[in-house]
Amino acid sequence: MRDPDGLLARAGVRGDPDVDQHFLIDDRVLDRLPGYATEIGADVSHVLEVGAGTGGLTDRLCRVADRVTVIERDPSLVAFLREEFAPEIDDGRLSVIEGDALEVEIPEFSACVSNLPYGVSSEIAFRLLPRGRPLVLMFQLEFAERMVADPDTPEYGRLSVSAQHYADCEIVEEVPREAFSPPPAVESAVVRARPREPEYEVGDEAFFLRFVKAVFTQRRKTLRNAIRNTAHISGLGDPDAVVEAADEELMGRRAGTLAPAEFAALAELARARGNPDE
């Protein structure tokens, strides 16, 4: 396998914290990452990697996947990857897309394994989660803990409900700062997301996610007040009608105590009662 320190040396680059650039250089972590996908039987016929950097993870993925597509926005790193991995590219086993993962068209993929840039990790994750594919993603530890949190815990919030709407999410490994060059200011963690259909139904997914976002902006208030105060975010035309139609005990609770299924039921009620013109 390619040595991550050797890749950095050949690329002639150094990570830049100012642009959220931290290269994963711990070969033990790199070796384990593909296994978090294969051990659950994920289809690795076409693996996507977002933020390939100098290719430490790319190298490992090419050894387990039939085909790998990487997205990298740094032009100098794209040029390096195309030179370093010329044999894999020539064999049709690797494709390199130059561009911002928030802007380029994400190709079809069977699974995604990535060390995401933390500054945009949320936006990238929510481009990937709706695709319904297994994901193994490196996040800031605090973000990962919120992603997997259970109701009625300090970490539970909008992120928890939204992510768990699409997948079963679990932290499979915590990663120390020293695993990166340069070390980031925070600890990291690997989250594995196993896609599945939710145990509830929502008639309008966009409204459901917007409604969750809205009430969590006032998570310390009762749902009664949160629904009324955030109609400008949720888009409800008649929030009072929702409050009046909902169970009184439920309206006395706070957003952080509701499981995703309870949010779905409340969002469906809100959609039906709060927009009388629809």
Side-chain angles (χ1 to χ4, degrees):
M1 293 188 183
R2 291 174 171 92
D3 174 64
D5 291 315
L7 287 168
L8 269 178
R10 289 196 293 279
V13 297
R14 301 178 68 178
D16 185 352
D18 292 337
V19 294
D20 204 23
Q21 194 176 58
H22 302 272
F23 298 113
L24 181 59
I25 57 170
D26 189 318
D27 52 7
R28 297 164 299 178
V29 178
L30 287 165
D31 291 347
R32 288 193 291 266
L33 286 176
Y36 292 128
T38 58
E39 71 186 20
I40 61 168
D43 178 358
V44 291
S45 59
H46 186 189
V47 174
L48 174 70
E49 181 189 2
V50 177
T54 57
L57 179 56
T58 307
D59 178 66
R60 274 75 176 167
L61 293 175
C62 284
R63 295 173 187 275
V64 301
D66 297 334
R67 187 158 60 103
V68 176
T69 294
V70 303
I71 300 174
E72 174 54 56
R73 69 178 183 179
D74 186 321
S76 63
L77 290 176
V78 169
F80 171 74
L81 289 167
R82 288 175 174 161
E83 178 180 354
E84 175 72 27
F85 291 88
E88 289 88 345
I89 293 173
D90 291 343
D91 288 345
R93 293 184 291 121
L94 177 66
S95 300
V96 179
I97 297 175
E98 180 178 349
D100 189 322
L102 295 179
E103 298 175 357
V104 301
E105 181 178 353
I106 294 179
E108 289 298 320
F109 62 95
S110 63
C112 177
V113 183
S114 301
N115 172 32
L116 298 179
Y118 291 168
V120 290
S121 59
S122 178
E123 294 93 329
I124 294 174
F126 282 97
R127 288 199 75 185
L128 299 174
L129 281 163
R131 304 290 284 267
R133 299 290 186 266
L135 309 175
V136 177
L137 305 175
M138 183 86 72
F139 294 108
Q140 180 179 335
L141 176 59
E142 181 184 354
F143 184 94
E145 291 175 335
R146 289 163 49 209
M147 195 171 180
V148 307
D150 293 324
D152 214 9
T153 62
E155 295 79 18
Y156 186 74
R158 171 197 173 193
L159 173 61
S160 318
V161 177
S162 301
Q164 294 168 33
H165 172 66
Y166 294 107
D168 291 324
C169 301
E170 60 179 327
I171 293 176
V172 292
E173 179 174 353
E174 294 187 14
V175 182
R177 304 174 191 185
E178 295 74 27
F180 301 86
S181 176
V186 297
E187 302 294 322
S188 303
V190 181
V191 172
R192 178 168 60 198
R194 303 173 71 167
R196 49 100 181 97
E197 291 297 320
E199 61 184 16
Y200 50 81
E201 294 185 5
V202 292
D204 184 334
E205 187 172 79
F207 175 78
F208 167 67
L209 296 173
R210 191 167 67 246
F211 180 77
V212 170
K213 173 185 177 181
V215 295
F216 268 113
T217 63
Q218 299 202 347
R219 62 177 301 148
R220 295 183 179 178
K221 295 187 178 297
T222 63
L223 285 167
R224 179 182 296 106
N225 291 328
I227 290 171
R228 285 172 169 156
N229 294 345
T230 61
H232 61 291
I233 300 174
S234 64
L236 289 175
D238 191 352
D240 287 333
V242 178
V243 171
E244 292 168 6
D247 179 78
E248 185 175 351
E249 184 275 333
L250 178 65
M251 290 297 94
R253 292 168 61 185
R254 288 169 173 76
T257 69
L258 269 66
E262 294 178 293
F263 260 115
L266 182 56
E268 288 300 281
L269 174 67
R271 193 167 66 92
R273 299 297 184 92
N275 293 297
D277 295 333
E278 290 190 2

